[in-house]
Amino acid sequence: MSDDFERAVLISFNFTPGEQELKARANSFINEIRQSPDVWGLCVERFSITAYPEVKFWCLQTLHEVIRTSYSALADAAKGIIKTALMTWVTRDCNNSQVPLPPFLRNKIAQTLVSVLQYEFPSTWPSFFEDLIRVMLPGCCAAVTPGGPMVLGPVAQGNEGVVDMFCRILVSVDEDLVTLDIPRSQNESKLSMHVKDSMREHSIVDVAAAWYSLAEAYATKAPELAAFVLQTMQRYICWIDINLVGNEKFTTLLQAVLESGYSPLSLRGAAADCLAELLEKRMEPTAKLSLIKSMGIMDRCAKWAVSGFPLPPGSPAAQALSGTAGPSASGLSLADEDPGGAELLAKLAHLLACLATETMDCLKKVENGVISLTAMGFGVGEDATQEASAAAASATQLLDTLLPALLSAFRSGIDEVSLPMLPFMSAYVARLKTLHKRHGGALPPECILHIHAMLAGIAVGARYPLHNSANDAGQGGVVTGPNGRGGPSPAAKDEQAEMEDKRRDLFTLYKNLAKVAYLEALGFVGSTLQAVVEAGAAAGTDGQQPSQGARWQDVEIGVSLLYELGEAAAEESAKAEGAAPLAALVTALAQACGAATPAHHTPGVQAMEHMAGQFTAALPAAGHRLVSLSVMETFVRYARILQQHQTLLPSVLVAFLDARGLGHPSEDVSTRACYLFCRISKTLRAPLRPYLADILPSIETHLARIATTPTTDMPAVQAVARDAASKAMAPATALLDDRLYVFEAVGLLLGQEEVPAEQQSAALSALLQPLTAQIKANLPSSQPQGGAPQSGLILQALEAVVRLNKGFKTDLAIRSRPQIGAMFGSVVEVALAVPREFPGHKLLRARFISFVHRMVEGLQALLLPYLPSALEALLMVPQPDAADVVDVLQLLGQLITRFKAVLSPLIEGLLPLLAGRVHCLLEAGGMWDWSGRMAEPQAAAAASAAAAASSAAAAGASSQAANG
């Protein structure tokens, strides 16, 4: 049977395909064995004699299930055999260095032993942990005083396997019984509290003493095992007595391990985690401050501002942190190059941030406690006030000691170091805000220095990587096609998305900081932009390609910081001291963009280049994809400032209209430029009017390209959102092409009444004629024999006309300058053929209806002659569905509202047809019964009758109960 049993278990663990029948038989065989009430005995027997790990695991798994479900029903003798066997496996099998058990079996032994613990400890096995410690440290003696701690013996050589199991058992106790991080039932939560209370009462003192002995003994001879001991201890710090592990002996050992240049990284990381866990332990603020001082860690962490984090000399992490590996690399992550060093850096940074955050929390609690009591009218004694003042002074001093190290870490440019500082930096900004109010709007000089350092840290952290950036290739990671146009590479898009996520918290911190120290933020942004412009000028950049002196990453972060400053400026820009510097920055950026203008041959752009080229300090890398986007977004945000400095408008216009904007080779940039140009045209409509003669020639090629390349042919066209709140691109099937915003911008500029009539008519005719011809040329009736119409070009042309029409007021089109209305009317006349010749094309039908909706508002009475033909064409659908009928009904609703009685004859003729179609649709869908049997009044009456009958029955039952 034993041989058959082992073969069956091995087959059940075999995942080879094609042996399903054999595996099913094996599973059936071992399931029968598992149902035996004495299966625990088989498990105990077979575990010790089998050589197969799979069989050992099956025995442990089955034994664990028996203990979990029916341990209480076993006889005492059986329980004793199981406990003895488990302890034997811990001390013998797990400590056999010649034939070591694999980790998964060690974990299962620990889990099985802990399942016994939950029944036996402390009621019948109170010495469970003492027994483990005695096996692990053979020289242990009983407690000198009753109830006192054990006297631990020295760490024995060759007992590493038992030490490993001691840690695994404690990890299993934490995961299976104690921790509440895992969702537990009410009974499991009660068991968790029971185990913790029992351990506090019976054994945790001895366990903590064992941790110290083991960590001290193995720190040099078996450091990985010592790291496991500390990692295990970290799990328990949050709920045991702080004096057991937060004493001088323990903290001295942890700090010695942390500072050792020879300890392995895992051991030093475990020491850092234990210290951080000690700091995060909940307690009163005065007690927490006393703990921080007693630990002696403050001075060590403060030294990191000068000496840096304690890392192995020459490691990639140490070189990156010190800058010896090359220039400072913002956004650098060492996870791939030096995973061990990156993990240790993250743990050290977390320790430093934790120390600062806990100190800050103590300061807030002390101050808020006294302030709150005073505000509520309670009298605060002099002793309490003095104690609070002393604690606040102590916390402030500790923060002052730590801040240089914190700011140095925040400016490091290494994600593993800088990002853990963000929570503290946010808390410190809140602290600065409080100090700002207390001091009447002023801040101490040392706080100003801290603000400058924080601004530098934000800029370094939010900057794109300086090395191996996916956006370095070509013009911002753009992959171009045969036509010279393309989009960002997948790697560039992924990097951009990662940076947007990372920047979210950094820019939130930046805006909050700018609200406290607005002028300092302005000065920092100004110096950043000035530095990149001067570096570009010194290196002789042409404004398009990154130069050696000014990298595109530096340019992009400088412009982005100016953009983000706009949210903080909402309140401050109204003040005299805030408005002028902000305007100066915006105008300086516009001047630099004007000087960075490349040579063009388009007449309109050449004229504006001549006006913008008076400035010689060019913005470096202005043609980079991400720089271009940032510059255009910034100009749109500060359009009100540009309105006051109209001499700069040529520089701004060129940035939108040349190869940095609408003509950029990357479709995401040119598409976004179309949308942003429309936005800035709305704000600067009147100031841009003098440049209309130059804008139209320069934009003509872009309009033609957009009109003749619909989104259905270019699925890669997307709008690049500045942030999560920005407009997102709709699916291509919705035919919402953000490039068409440029037609709306042209309509806004051209549709002004101040534009001369002759210029307006000529320009509009030049715009509408090719669009009309495009519609006509792609109708089926216009195709040569065998030719296929391109419906996408009709869709694009119709939407372009709609966007153009939005810029023309109705009075202008039908009264002041009727020739404008006549031009749009001629487009309507051509467009009437679209629904007639494409009766089953859903997208074209929807676009035509949208087109008519717009023309109703834009042309009003001029549209009336075309309405009968339009409605007739829309009703020509052979088998209309509900959506088709609803679209027509909605259009009729608009027409009736707009034209009222004028449209009565037309509506009277259409009403029978529409009513019949509604009837057919309702009847076909089973939604309506014209007999009246399911009419709402009858159904309501039936429901009322049923409710009345139910109420009567309930009243009768109550009466009978009362009489009884």
Side-chain angles (χ1 to χ4, degrees), residues 612-683:
Q614 57 182 308
F615 307 108
T616 57
L619 184 71
H624 189 279
R625 184 177 69 89
L626 296 174
V627 175
S628 297
L629 287 170
S630 296
V631 168
M632 290 187 291
E633 296 275 3
T634 302
F635 284 151
V636 171
R637 168 157 283 186
Y638 297 112
R640 296 295 182 187
I641 291 178
L642 295 173
Q643 196 170 19
Q644 306 301 321
H645 299 80
Q646 297 185 17
T647 55
L648 297 172
L649 291 182
S651 301
V652 175
L653 283 172
V654 171
F656 279 93
L657 301 179
D658 66 9
R660 293 169 290 178
L662 296 176
H664 199 281
S666 181
E667 286 292 346
D668 65 329
V669 178
S670 61
T671 299
R672 186 67 177 170
C674 294
Y675 170 67
L676 294 174
F677 183 61
C678 179
R679 286 187 57 189
I680 202 169
S681 297
K682 288 180 181 179
T683 306

Side-chain angles (χ1 to χ4, degrees), residues 350-368:
H350 172 68
L351 174 60
L352 178 61
C354 179
L355 181 59
T357 302
E358 292 297 325
T359 305
M360 177 69 77
D361 286 344
C362 291
L363 177 59
K364 289 195 295 185
K365 289 177 181 177
V366 169
E367 291 183 340
N368 292 343

Side-chain angles (χ1 to χ4, degrees), residues 291-459:
L291 172 66
I292 292 173
K293 291 180 179 179
S294 66
M295 289 173 65
I297 193 175
M298 183 66 67
D299 293 336
R300 291 178 184 267
C301 291
K303 291 178 182 177
W304 294 349
V306 179
S307 60
F309 287 110
L311 293 169
S315 67
Q319 293 178 9
L321 198 60
S322 63
T324 57
S328 175
S330 66
L332 176 67
S333 176
L334 300 171
D336 295 330
E337 184 178 0
D338 185 11
E343 184 178 0
L344 177 59
L345 266 180
K347 292 178 182 292
L348 294 173
H350 172 68
L351 174 60
L352 178 61
C354 179
L355 181 59
T357 302
E358 292 297 325
T359 305
M360 177 69 77
D361 286 344
C362 291
L363 177 59
K364 289 195 295 185
K365 289 177 181 177
V366 169
E367 291 183 340
N368 292 343
V370 175
I371 293 173
S372 299
L373 289 174
T374 305
M376 289 188 293
F378 293 103
V380 180
E382 184 176 352
D383 293 341
T385 303
Q386 291 178 354
E387 181 182 355
S389 300
S394 175
T396 303
Q397 182 181 1
L398 292 175
L399 284 176
D400 291 340
T401 304
L402 278 179
L403 271 168
L406 291 162
L407 295 171
S408 176
F410 192 53
R411 297 195 305 267
S412 66
I414 300 176
D415 289 350
E416 289 84 357
V417 177
S418 60
L419 294 184
M421 305 298 147
L422 266 175
F424 170 77
M425 294 300 167
S426 298
Y428 186 62
V429 170
R431 172 75 179 169
L432 290 176
K433 187 176 182 180
T434 302
L435 294 176
H436 190 264
K437 291 180 179 178
R438 289 181 186 173
H439 294 84
L443 287 172
E446 61 272 14
C447 291
I448 300 298
L449 295 176
H450 298 159
I451 289 171
H452 290 163
M454 290 174 67
L455 290 169
I458 292 169

